[in-house]
Amino acid sequence: MGASSRWTTWWRREQQQDGPVTGGDAAVRLDLLLGAVRAGFPLAPAAHPAGHRCSCDRVGCPAPAQHPVSFAWQTQATTEPEQLARWLSRDPQANFVTATGRTHDVLDVPAEAGRLALERLDERGVGGPVAAVGDDRYLFFTATRGTPADEDEWWTSALDSTPDTMSEHPGLRWHCRGSYTLLPPAALLDGSQVRWLRGPEQPLPDPLRVLDVLTDACTEVGAVAEEQWLIG
C-alpha cells in the first residue's frame, strides 16, 4: 500500500505540473495497475481508443485498442512501478497488456460461459483473479504451466492461444507463453471497459481445476473451441 500511495502522489504532482490531462482518473488507474504489478503480472503499454479509431493509426487495425504498442512487447513487459509510471506519464490514456506464461496464464471464455463458471468456482471455493472484457469475454487468471529449462518437457494444449490465432478459438482460449491479454482497467473502442470482477490480489489457482469448470460451462452454452482439449 505504501508503494501505491507513493506513486499515486507522484502522479498527481506530475499532472498538476503538466496540466489537467486526466487528473484523478489517471491516479485511480495507476493504483489499479500497481495492484497487478504487486501481484507479479508483467505489463507492457497497449493501444487505446482515439475517437472512433485505434491510437496506432493503422488502417484496418485488426484489434483496435487491444494490442501492444511495440512489437517488442515481450521484452518490454515489466513489473517495475517506475517504468509503469513513466509510460503513463507519456501516454495517460494507454491501455496495458500482461504477458502470459511467465507468472500466470489466462483462460479466456465467452461471457455466458464465464458467468456460469464463476458461480461454480465460488461453490467449490476456487478463487483467483477474474476480469470481464466488456460484455463479451471473461478472463480467468491462473498459475502458469511454467517454462521448463528442458524444452522437451513442455506440454502443449489444443487450446493454446496467441494473439494471431484468436479467430481459431472462438470458445475457450488458453493464453500461455508468447501470448497476452488486456489488463484492467482498459478502454475498448465500443465504449465498454475491461474491469476486474475479482482483483489481482487473489491467489492464482491451478489452471487444470479452472479448466475443468470452464470446459463444462462452454459445452453447456454451445461455445466449444474443440471437440476435446488435449495435452501432449
Side-chain angles (χ1 to χ4, degrees):
M1 182 61 70
S4 176
S5 299
R6 175 166 60 88
W7 286 108
T8 302
T9 300
W10 173 88
W11 175 262
R12 288 197 175 102
R13 185 169 62 248
E14 288 294 304
Q15 291 302 296
Q16 289 171 1
Q17 292 173 354
D18 296 340
V21 179
T22 52
D25 289 344
V28 171
R29 291 187 66 231
L30 179 59
D31 269 344
L32 288 170
L33 292 167
L34 284 170
V37 165
R38 286 194 298 272
F41 297 174
L43 310 186
H48 60 83
H52 298 290
R53 57 179 175 77
C54 181
S55 62
C56 73
D57 285 331
R58 177 181 173 185
V59 176
C61 175
Q66 299 186 56
H67 62 85
V69 171
S70 171
F71 289 116
W73 61 270
Q74 294 192 66
T75 302
Q76 282 185 328
T78 182
T79 57
E80 295 180 4
E82 295 89 347
Q83 183 60 62
L84 172 61
R86 283 194 290 269
W87 281 329
L88 275 173
S89 181
R90 288 199 294 265
D91 187 358
Q93 304 300 325
N95 286 336
F96 284 84
V97 295
T98 179
T100 53
R102 300 184 188 181
T103 60
H104 68 287
D105 287 355
V106 172
L107 291 164
D108 170 359
V109 296
E112 186 180 3
R115 286 189 290 270
L116 180 60
L118 193 55
E119 292 178 6
R120 293 176 178 175
L121 289 169
D122 283 341
E123 291 170 359
R124 299 184 185 189
V126 179
V130 181
V133 182
D135 296 324
D136 297 330
R137 310 285 301 186
Y138 271 36
L139 306 177
F140 290 79
F141 290 71
T142 71
T144 184
R145 286 179 287 168
T147 53
D150 184 352
E151 288 297 315
D152 291 336
E153 295 179 4
W154 173 253
W155 48 278
T156 59
S157 164
L159 299 178
D160 284 349
S161 180
T162 55
D164 57 351
T165 63
M166 294 294 220
S167 61
E168 299 171 18
H169 298 280
L172 177 58
R173 305 167 182 165
W174 192 331
H175 298 273
C176 52
R177 289 194 306 176
S179 189
Y180 60 78
T181 62
L182 280 175
L183 191 74
L188 302 175
L189 209 62
D190 62 3
S192 61
Q193 302 286 323
V194 182
R195 64 194 189 283
W196 286 118
L197 302 176
R198 292 175 171 172
E201 70 281 355
Q202 300 230 3
L204 294 169
D206 180 88
L208 296 184
R209 287 192 73 186
V210 178
L211 179 62
D212 282 342
V213 177
L214 294 181
T215 301
D216 289 343
C218 283
T219 299
E220 289 184 35
V221 302
V224 184
E226 302 283 343
E227 288 299 319
Q228 58 181 341
W229 64 271
L230 303 172
I231 298 174

